[in-house]
mmCIF file of all heavy atoms in Angstrom:
data_model
loop_
_atom_site.group_PDB
_atom_site.id
_atom_site.type_symbol
_atom_site.label_atom_id
_atom_site.label_comp_id
_atom_site.label_asym_id
_atom_site.label_seq_id
_atom_site.Cartn_x
_atom_site.Cartn_y
_atom_site.Cartn_z
ATOM 1 N N PRO T 98 125.896 74.002 -10.413
ATOM 2 C CA PRO T 98 124.876 74.817 -9.756
ATOM 3 C C PRO T 98 124.074 74.080 -8.683
ATOM 4 O O PRO T 98 123.636 74.753 -7.738
ATOM 5 C CB PRO T 98 123.993 75.275 -10.919
ATOM 6 C CG PRO T 98 124.196 74.222 -12.075
ATOM 7 C CD PRO T 98 125.658 73.773 -11.898
ATOM 8 N N VAL T 99 123.825 72.836 -8.816
ATOM 9 C CA VAL T 99 123.147 72.011 -7.884
ATOM 10 C C VAL T 99 123.885 71.927 -6.568
ATOM 11 O O VAL T 99 123.424 72.112 -5.468
ATOM 12 C CB VAL T 99 122.685 70.703 -8.388
ATOM 13 C CG1 VAL T 99 121.978 69.835 -7.287
ATOM 14 C CG2 VAL T 99 121.736 70.808 -9.558
ATOM 15 N N VAL T 147 118.091 78.736 -8.000
ATOM 16 C CA VAL T 147 117.242 77.711 -8.766
ATOM 17 C C VAL T 147 117.304 78.030 -10.217
ATOM 18 O O VAL T 147 117.306 77.169 -11.014
ATOM 19 C CB VAL T 147 115.741 77.872 -8.198
ATOM 20 C CG1 VAL T 147 114.844 77.019 -9.085
ATOM 21 C CG2 VAL T 147 115.707 77.288 -6.761
ATOM 22 N N THR T 148 117.329 79.349 -10.565
ATOM 23 C CA THR T 148 117.341 79.655 -12.086
ATOM 24 C C THR T 148 118.668 79.159 -12.598
ATOM 25 O O THR T 148 118.614 78.655 -13.723
ATOM 26 C CB THR T 148 117.226 81.166 -12.160
ATOM 27 O OG1 THR T 148 115.997 81.633 -11.720
ATOM 28 C CG2 THR T 148 117.486 81.657 -13.646
ATOM 29 N N ALA T 149 119.776 79.220 -11.869
ATOM 30 C CA ALA T 149 121.073 78.678 -12.361
ATOM 31 C C ALA T 149 120.922 77.205 -12.624
ATOM 32 O O ALA T 149 121.432 76.717 -13.573
ATOM 33 C CB ALA T 149 122.174 78.985 -11.374
ATOM 34 N N CYS T 150 120.186 76.476 -11.781
ATOM 35 C CA CYS T 150 120.019 75.017 -11.941
ATOM 36 C C CYS T 150 119.161 74.825 -13.171
ATOM 37 O O CYS T 150 119.479 73.930 -13.984
ATOM 38 C CB CYS T 150 119.364 74.446 -10.722
ATOM 39 S SG CYS T 150 120.421 74.469 -9.175
ATOM 40 N N ALA T 151 118.140 75.563 -13.346
ATOM 41 C CA ALA T 151 117.268 75.364 -14.515
ATOM 42 C C ALA T 151 118.044 75.720 -15.804
ATOM 43 O O ALA T 151 117.874 75.019 -16.770
ATOM 44 C CB ALA T 151 116.017 76.333 -14.395
ATOM 45 N N ASP T 152 118.846 76.747 -15.792
ATOM 46 C CA ASP T 152 119.577 77.062 -17.008
ATOM 47 C C ASP T 152 120.656 76.021 -17.306
ATOM 48 O O ASP T 152 121.100 75.868 -18.474
ATOM 49 C CB ASP T 152 120.345 78.358 -16.742
ATOM 50 C CG ASP T 152 119.380 79.610 -16.646
ATOM 51 O OD1 ASP T 152 118.195 79.421 -17.070
ATOM 52 O OD2 ASP T 152 119.841 80.636 -16.185
ATOM 53 N N ALA T 153 121.069 75.245 -16.333
ATOM 54 C CA ALA T 153 122.029 74.055 -16.581
ATOM 55 C C ALA T 153 121.352 72.877 -16.986
ATOM 56 O O ALA T 153 122.011 71.835 -17.286
ATOM 57 C CB ALA T 153 122.853 73.907 -15.264
ATOM 58 N N GLY T 154 119.994 72.863 -17.088
ATOM 59 C CA GLY T 154 119.361 71.672 -17.533
ATOM 60 C C GLY T 154 118.362 70.979 -16.598
ATOM 61 O O GLY T 154 117.733 70.016 -16.980
ATOM 62 N N VAL T 155 118.299 71.398 -15.255
ATOM 63 C CA VAL T 155 117.370 70.807 -14.398
ATOM 64 C C VAL T 155 116.010 71.191 -14.755
ATOM 65 O O VAL T 155 115.675 72.385 -14.969
ATOM 66 C CB VAL T 155 117.718 71.272 -12.943
ATOM 67 C CG1 VAL T 155 116.666 70.673 -11.997
ATOM 68 C CG2 VAL T 155 119.094 70.859 -12.519
ATOM 69 N N PRO T 156 115.094 70.142 -14.958
ATOM 70 C CA PRO T 156 113.704 70.484 -15.366
ATOM 71 C C PRO T 156 112.953 71.197 -14.251
ATOM 72 O O PRO T 156 112.704 70.583 -13.223
ATOM 73 C CB PRO T 156 113.100 69.110 -15.706
ATOM 74 C CG PRO T 156 113.865 68.133 -14.929
ATOM 75 C CD PRO T 156 115.334 68.702 -14.868
ATOM 76 N N VAL T 157 112.575 72.446 -14.451
ATOM 77 C CA VAL T 157 111.912 73.197 -13.490
ATOM 78 C C VAL T 157 110.692 73.861 -14.080
ATOM 79 O O VAL T 157 110.838 74.729 -15.008
ATOM 80 C CB VAL T 157 112.813 74.275 -12.824
ATOM 81 C CG1 VAL T 157 112.007 75.184 -11.864
ATOM 82 C CG2 VAL T 157 113.992 73.671 -12.084
ATOM 83 N N ARG T 160 110.144 78.341 -11.375
ATOM 84 C CA ARG T 160 111.207 78.726 -10.543
ATOM 85 C C ARG T 160 110.770 79.394 -9.238
ATOM 86 O O ARG T 160 111.451 79.200 -8.166
ATOM 87 C CB ARG T 160 112.148 79.617 -11.333
ATOM 88 C CG ARG T 160 112.721 78.960 -12.620
ATOM 89 C CD ARG T 160 113.531 79.853 -13.509
ATOM 90 N NE ARG T 160 113.805 79.208 -14.759
ATOM 91 C CZ ARG T 160 114.680 79.586 -15.696
ATOM 92 N NH1 ARG T 160 115.249 80.744 -15.475
ATOM 93 N NH2 ARG T 160 114.911 78.898 -16.715
ATOM 94 N N LEU T 206 114.203 70.082 -6.040
ATOM 95 C CA LEU T 206 114.559 69.901 -7.479
ATOM 96 C C LEU T 206 114.008 68.659 -8.107
ATOM 97 O O LEU T 206 113.571 68.696 -9.309
ATOM 98 C CB LEU T 206 116.118 69.913 -7.738
ATOM 99 C CG LEU T 206 116.816 71.224 -7.261
ATOM 100 C CD1 LEU T 206 118.310 71.155 -7.590
ATOM 101 C CD2 LEU T 206 116.169 72.431 -7.961
ATOM 102 N N ALA T 209 110.541 69.529 -9.045
ATOM 103 C CA ALA T 209 110.371 70.786 -9.682
ATOM 104 C C ALA T 209 109.640 70.794 -10.977
ATOM 105 O O ALA T 209 109.039 71.811 -11.398
ATOM 106 C CB ALA T 209 111.762 71.363 -9.922
ATOM 107 N N SER T 210 109.596 69.648 -11.656
ATOM 108 C CA SER T 210 108.766 69.556 -12.892
ATOM 109 C C SER T 210 107.477 68.802 -12.655
ATOM 110 O O SER T 210 106.544 69.043 -13.435
ATOM 111 C CB SER T 210 109.654 68.818 -13.938
ATOM 112 O OG SER T 210 109.960 67.503 -13.555
#
Side-chain angles (χ1 to χ4, degrees):
V99 176
V147 169
T148 296
C150 294
D152 291 344
V155 176
V157 177
R160 299 174 186 190
L206 295 184
S210 60

